[in-house]
Amino acid sequence: MDVKLDPSRDDLPLMANTSHILVKHYVLDLHVDFESQVIEGTIVLFFEDGNQFKKGNSSTEETCQLESNEACKFRMPEPCHIPVTNARTFSSKMEYNDFAICSKGEKDTSDKDGNHDNLEQASGISSSKYCCDTGNHGSEDFLLVLDCCDLSVLKVEEVDIAAVPGIEKFTMSPKLTVASEELRNQIVHELVTLPADRWREQFDYYARCSQAPGCGELFFDTDAWSLQIRKTGAQTATDFPHAIRIWYKTKPEGQSVTWTSDQCGRPCVYTMGSPINNRALFPCQEPPVAMSTWQATVRAAASFVVLMSGENSAKPTQLQEGFASWHYYVTMPMPASTFTIAVGCWTEMRPDTCSSNDLATERPLPPSEADFRYIGICGHMEYPCRFQNDSATTQEIIPHRVFAPMCLKSACQETLLRLIPPCLSAAHSVLGTHPFSRLDVLIVPANFPSLGMASPHIIFLSQSTLTGTSHLCGTRLCHEIAHAWFGLAIGARDWTEEWLSEGFATHLEDVFWAKAQQLAPSEAQEQQELRACLRWHRLQDELRDSPEEMQVLRPSKEKTGLVSDSGASVIKHGLNPEKTFMQVHYLKGYFLLRFLATRLGDETYFSFLRKFVHTFHGQLILSQDFLQMLLENIPEEKRLELSVENIFQDWLESSGIPKPLQRERQAGVECGLARQVSAEVTKWVRVNQRPRKRKRRQKKEVFEKLLPDQLVLLLERLLEQKTLNPRTLQSLQRTYHLHDQDAEVRHRWCELIVKHRYTTAYSSVERFLQEDQAMGVYLYGELMVSEDARQQQLAHRCFELAKGQMDRSSAKVVAEMLF
């Protein structure tokens, strides 16, 4: 279905001209100011021009509309009074240029910490006397376009990296005299192409270069979605400076950065990967093809902890006047959208040594089924890769830390801390080598709009995962761990193909969780069938209530992965606030992979999956890369007329329920755990139908103990009942202790309360809307649809209490429901 979209609301523009020039490394030097709710500082970008990586992608009608043929208006370079001070001088203003690196006063602790085993749509830009172009042809100046939104850019300058002592080793000249543009660009080229075994030296020189003086300010301008930079006389990407420094500040309202309070009421800030990724945190190239490394120094008051996507377990360096700096780095090239930062008064949570009921910590998992390596050279660009490292290959449990506000200490110790080792070990037993060398897990504030988010070396988890039994926490942790392989180490080349990340993580979370619990194969199968039943109901609900055009997993079809000549493109529905709450790419992707695994058999499927991971780690893929390799690597008799074209048509390019899934569910037999729930539902229906005064001889119902997923299914089935009387609801709550269950169960319980106007339990709904904001948006709609004055007052009261801290997208959707 070809739908006309409003670019200011629905489509997310990716403006960077990555076909002409690519960022290879970022050096960030930032200060976090909680009083002004601003992150400010500098970012130095090191480029390689397009001659190194010309692509054959053709332009499309949709993406070409991003190109502007108009001339560009630029700000004239102005004096910028931002002095570079002594390395240890600090000011809350932009009066510093201190970049801590291992070789400069900060001891390298990477080995002992287990950090690295190897050692608005584009608007037309108003015309002016300056003529520019986004390409590299004609006599006009080359225009560098970066993705940028809600940033105050103060100054852009070329960096005189030739002034760095010792930099002559990267040139043909034994001694540098007059540094030309060509010579500086040659130095950057030599630096960014150093072999992987020299990464420490490379990062040391990146840091030194980032502190080099400027050698000329550059013209720049910004619009709603981009920062454009040019240098007079630089007519091609090859001529453009390959190392530039940008001085900038974030804005409190920037969508990439969330300023809030933690569960203890202390200020904190974290970045959220959607809807606009990191362009309101720093100017960058957002298209996933712009794979880069980074290093960052972040300053904050000494009472704060800085966590970041980084290979090293950073420790603070104390500065003057009660401030500290933290330094992180990443040597594996990643899209800029995966960069994450969180600053708050976090406490590192450690296991309670007296605890004795740890899940699988005293009963280690059996030897890894994936304890092997495919021999051969990796297919990705060169970096220090763990897949080629013997010790990394056999490391089942990578070093990990847990951070949270102090008031959540007991919850972390009782639930989360004991789950991480068996979940990591289970993931290794299924997929092999962990792509990343370590892991931090942070319990984020209550306004975090999801149950979890994975970034390189760090996972954000919602506080909602800590309630009830360990089930929700374990499954969500497994989901985010799976993203280390699918979503991070292997990324989607086109962001519309989210199923390549979320579908895989959803499918693998069941497999990992079963192994982490050490379930017998039959028990694991039963639990997975039960979860398939729950997801089937959820998918049906989602498809019934969502627009058809947003139910398609590959909306661009044969144009998927194509960009304009410059590299710019748009992500369909990327800004639509409804998309944040949709699960279709999780669910349809999950059912596709489940369908393939069933067709091929688990042994064949997971053997292939390990081979696929080894082949494509460190790279970006499209759907056909996975499907073609799958069909090429399975015996002819198991293909059963499967083809890439058929899978595209049935699963990825159509709205609604895929035909093979429809046939499977119609022919399927209810699993044992679901049958047990059906029996319990029958009992509750009988209880509900009894008269208020029970006859003396009437037999009392005896209810079975149910698993968390069974409780969810039970409550969903009871939601189908037209009426449940207060006595039945009271008995339900008492029988299953619903106040103490996990957030998935309590969500369904709240739905029952709202549907049947069970006023006695309205406090449970209020608690849910305050403490489980990641899941509460749907409940606001239910409260308003009921047209019950008391329920609508409850919704308005809860929103008034929460909206000041609520995630912006969630607040916008709720406000539309309420007003």
Side-chain angles (χ1 to χ4, degrees):
M1 181 180 293
D2 187 16
V3 179
K4 295 292 184 182
L5 299 171
D6 175 6
S8 67
R9 176 181 172 90
D10 287 352
D11 284 358
L12 174 67
L14 303 179
M15 302 298 299
N17 52 341
T18 53
S19 294
H20 302 139
I21 191 166
L22 274 183
V23 178
K24 305 300 287 184
H25 188 78
Y26 296 96
V27 179
L28 296 99
D29 190 6
L30 303 174
H31 170 62
V32 180
D33 186 348
F34 281 95
E35 185 174 342
S36 61
Q37 294 192 339
V38 162
I39 299 175
E40 60 181 331
T42 64
I43 182 169
V44 177
L45 296 79
F46 295 86
F47 296 96
E48 188 77 307
D49 67 71
N51 291 332
Q52 308 296 323
F53 46 80
K54 277 293 181 186
K55 302 187 295 296
N57 291 337
S58 60
S59 60
T60 69
E61 181 179 351
E62 177 178 48
T63 56
C64 277
Q65 67 182 346
L66 294 171
E67 299 300 314
S68 172
N69 293 323
E70 299 180 38
C72 303
K73 180 180 180 180
F74 287 85
R75 303 182 193 181
M76 290 293 293
E78 299 174 356
C80 190
H81 303 292
I82 310 175
V84 177
T85 61
N86 180 276
R88 289 298 173 216
T89 301
F90 176 83
S91 170
S92 61
K93 298 180 181 179
M94 296 178 60
E95 296 179 349
Y96 53 82
N97 192 26
D98 166 35
F99 201 96
I101 54 176
C102 296
S103 61
K104 287 193 173 185
E106 182 176 347
K107 187 176 180 181
D108 178 9
T109 58
S110 59
D111 285 334
K112 69 179 182 180
D113 284 331
N115 304 323
H116 209 295
D117 294 291
N118 283 348
L119 126 201
E120 264 131 266
Q121 163 106 341
S123 59
I125 305 169
S126 56
S127 60
S128 79
K129 61 182 180 180
Y130 297 109
C131 192
C132 59
D133 185 58
T134 59
N136 55 354
H137 50 81
S139 59
E140 303 161 338
D141 290 336
F142 170 77
L143 178 66
L144 169 68
V145 181
L146 299 175
D147 294 295
C148 174
C149 181
D150 293 329
L151 292 177
S152 296
V153 178
L154 308 177
K155 175 182 176 182
V156 182
E157 64 182 359
E158 182 178 359
V159 180
D160 187 10
I161 59 173
V164 175
I167 201 71
E168 59 271 7
K169 69 165 65 178
F170 298 107
T171 72
M172 305 296 292
S173 307
K175 186 176 180 180
L176 298 179
T177 52
V178 179
S180 64
E181 190 74 68
E182 183 179 358
L183 179 60
R184 283 191 288 267
N185 288 354
Q186 177 196 338
I187 293 171
V188 174
H189 172 75
E190 296 297 325
L191 182 57
V192 301
T193 56
L194 279 179
D197 59 1
R198 294 176 64 184
W199 73 268
R200 290 187 182 277
E201 177 187 12
Q202 181 186 47
F203 275 52
D204 175 39
Y205 273 95
Y206 278 141
R208 293 172 188 251
C209 290
S210 74
Q211 298 180 65
C215 58
E217 294 187 31
L218 303 176
F219 296 99
F220 72 91
D221 194 22
T222 59
D223 61 22
W225 288 110
S226 69
L227 166 65
Q228 308 102 29
I229 305 170
R230 76 169 187 87
K231 179 179 180 178
T232 302
Q235 297 180 5
T236 68
T238 303
D239 300 330
F240 190 80
H242 282 26
I244 66 170
R245 181 185 292 116
I246 301 171
W247 303 79
Y248 75 97
K249 295 181 179 183
T250 65
K251 297 180 180 179
E253 66 274 16
Q255 293 182 68
S256 303
V257 184
T258 300
W259 300 89
T260 186
S261 298
D262 65 19
Q263 291 83 347
C264 297
R266 306 188 69 173
C268 62
V269 61
Y270 63 85
T271 56
M272 185 63 194
S274 62
I276 64 168
N277 301 304
N278 277 319
R279 67 189 74 187
L281 176 63
F282 57 90
C284 57
Q285 291 183 331
E286 286 278 25
V289 69
M291 307 265 280
S292 60
T293 52
W294 60 74
Q295 58 196 123
T297 292
V298 179
R299 294 174 186 74
S303 58
F304 289 93
V305 172
V306 178
L307 301 176
M308 193 183 297
S309 308
E311 294 172 24
N312 56 316
S313 300
K315 303 294 189 295
T317 298
Q318 298 303 315
L319 305 175
Q320 299 174 6
E321 301 178 18
F323 291 90
S325 69
W326 302 69
H327 176 68
Y328 288 89
Y329 60 84
V330 165
T331 62
M332 176 181 176
M334 301 286 292
S337 60
T338 65
F339 181 97
T340 296
I341 184 172
V343 185
C345 299
W346 325 121
T347 300
E348 183 176 356
M349 302 297 169
R350 301 182 184 276
D352 184 351
T353 54
C354 298
S355 178
S356 60
N357 63 341
D358 287 0
L359 174 64
T361 52
E362 295 183 8
R363 300 171 294 139
L365 289 171
S368 170
E369 300 169 13
D371 188 11
F372 66 90
R373 277 197 299 161
Y374 290 97
I375 305 302
I377 299 173
C378 296
H380 53 71
M381 66 182 76
E382 191 176 10
Y383 66 84
C385 178
R386 288 173 53 81
F387 285 78
Q388 294 296 326
N389 183 289
D390 288 329
S391 61
T393 301
T394 57
Q395 187 181 31
E396 294 186 23
I397 303 173
I398 56 175
H400 52 274
R401 305 180 299 180
V402 172
F403 290 87
M406 192 63 186
C407 54
L408 295 179
K409 179 179 180 180
S410 61
C412 288
Q413 289 182 332
E414 291 169 9
T415 305
L416 178 58
L417 283 165
R418 67 189 183 89
L419 292 177
I420 297 177
C423 290
L424 287 171
S425 186
H428 181 272
S429 73
V430 176
L431 294 180
T433 308
H434 288 281
F436 302 105
S437 57
R438 64 171 208 96
L439 175 66
D440 283 340
V441 180
L442 172 66
I443 302 300
V444 281
N447 70 341
F448 188 69
S450 167
L451 286 180
M453 185 181 78
S455 299
H457 314 282
I458 186 169
I459 287 172
F460 289 174
L461 278 185
S462 166
Q463 65 179 25
S464 297
T465 64
L466 300 180
T467 57
T469 65
S470 62
H471 175 75
L472 179 58
C473 188
T475 53
R476 194 66 205 193
L477 184 61
C478 286
H479 182 101
E480 303 307 336
I481 288 172
H483 277 312
W485 287 268
F486 292 96
L488 294 175
I490 301 174
R493 186 152 64 87
D494 188 312
W495 279 343
T496 61
E497 296 199 307
E498 292 170 87
W499 82 271
L500 288 169
S501 173
E502 299 301 351
F504 275 94
T506 304
H507 188 232
L508 287 167
E509 76 177 65
D510 294 356
V511 181
F512 291 177
W513 183 230
K515 286 185 175 292
Q517 297 174 92
Q518 300 186 25
L519 299 180
S522 59
E523 191 177 357
Q525 180 70 18
E526 274 288 301
Q527 289 197 13
Q528 290 173 20
E529 289 296 330
L530 177 63
R531 290 176 71 76
C533 178
L534 286 169
R535 290 180 179 128
W536 167 245
H537 292 306
R538 202 171 303 160
L539 179 61
Q540 289 177 301
D541 291 342
E542 176 125 330
L543 297 182
R544 184 173 56 248
D545 299 332
S546 61
E548 283 193 8
E549 66 271 14
M550 295 183 70
Q551 301 174 11
V552 180
L553 303 192
R554 196 169 180 262
S556 299
K557 298 186 178 180
E558 70 277 1
K559 295 179 181 179
T560 302
L562 299 185
V563 297
S564 68
D565 290 337
S566 73
S569 63
V570 294
I571 305 303
K572 279 182 176 289
H573 314 298
L575 291 174
N576 192 319
E578 293 180 29
K579 192 172 187 299
T580 306
F581 306 101
M582 290 187 65
Q583 300 286 303
V584 66
H585 44 286
Y586 292 74
L587 298 172
K588 288 178 75 170
Y590 156 80
F591 278 113
L592 169 57
L593 296 171
R594 188 172 181 274
F595 165 77
L596 294 172
T598 302
R599 276 289 187 97
L600 307 179
D602 282 352
E603 185 177 348
T604 299
Y605 175 76
F606 286 105
S607 176
F608 160 75
L609 208 57
R610 289 188 287 270
K611 184 176 181 181
F612 179 79
V613 164
H614 191 276
T615 302
F616 281 101
H617 70 273
Q619 300 175 66
L620 302 172
I621 64 168
L622 297 174
S623 294
Q624 55 263 40
D625 296 315
F626 170 74
L627 297 172
Q628 286 170 355
M629 183 174 173
L630 174 70
L631 297 178
E632 290 168 1
N633 280 267
I634 60 176
E636 182 69 35
E637 64 272 14
K638 289 194 174 184
R639 295 186 195 175
L640 302 175
E641 299 181 355
L642 287 177
S643 69
V644 174
E645 293 73 21
N646 289 343
I647 294 172
F648 276 174
Q649 181 176 348
D650 290 341
W651 292 90
L652 303 182
E653 296 181 355
S654 301
S655 60
I657 301 289
K659 293 177 182 177
L661 177 58
Q662 191 79 54
R663 290 193 294 267
E664 175 203 326
R665 301 312 299 186
Q666 288 173 347
V669 179
E670 202 172 43
C671 69
L673 293 175
R675 286 197 300 272
Q676 187 180 15
V677 171
S678 296
E680 298 304 295
V681 170
T682 301
K683 295 177 187 178
W684 283 108
V685 171
R686 282 201 300 263
V687 167
N688 191 59
Q689 291 172 345
R690 285 176 181 163
R692 185 174 183 87
K693 290 186 177 181
R694 198 172 63 219
K695 294 180 181 179
R696 189 173 296 176
R697 293 183 181 179
Q698 199 168 34
K699 184 180 177 182
K700 183 179 180 180
E701 295 287 1
V702 177
F703 297 102
E704 299 291 334
K705 185 177 181 180
L706 299 179
L707 299 170
D709 282 336
Q710 287 181 297
L711 274 177
V712 171
L713 182 59
L714 173 77
L715 297 177
E716 287 185 353
R717 295 281 297 276
L718 290 176
L719 276 165
E720 298 169 3
Q721 297 297 311
K722 187 174 182 179
T723 59
L724 292 178
N725 62 54
R727 286 181 294 107
T728 303
L729 293 169
Q730 183 183 38
S731 184
L732 261 175
Q733 197 283 323
R734 193 168 50 234
T735 300
Y736 301 116
H737 306 285
L738 294 176
H739 287 302
D740 301 322
Q741 295 293 340
D742 69 37
E744 291 278 11
V745 176
R746 288 186 289 107
H747 187 274
R748 273 62 172 194
W749 171 232
C750 288
E751 289 183 68
L752 276 173
I753 293 170
V754 172
K755 177 176 180 178
H756 299 291
R757 304 181 185 183
Y758 184 41
T759 57
T760 305
Y762 278 3
S763 60
S764 294
V765 179
E766 293 190 46
R767 172 194 165 198
F768 195 92
L769 292 177
Q770 298 301 308
E771 297 180 5
D772 300 285
Q773 293 182 26
M775 304 173 67
V777 172
Y778 175 77
L779 281 178
Y780 281 103
E782 293 297 293
L783 288 165
M784 297 305 294
V785 167
S786 69
E787 296 186 356
D788 178 88
R790 186 168 176 183
Q791 289 193 0
Q792 292 184 346
Q793 288 171 4
L794 188 154
H796 281 274
R797 184 168 65 252
C798 289
F799 184 59
E800 283 301 314
L801 290 171
K803 69 179 182 181
Q805 296 289 330
M806 190 179 285
D807 166 73
R808 289 186 190 90
S809 295
S810 301
K812 184 176 181 179
V813 170
V814 173
E816 290 177 355
M817 293 176 181
L818 269 57
F819 303 106

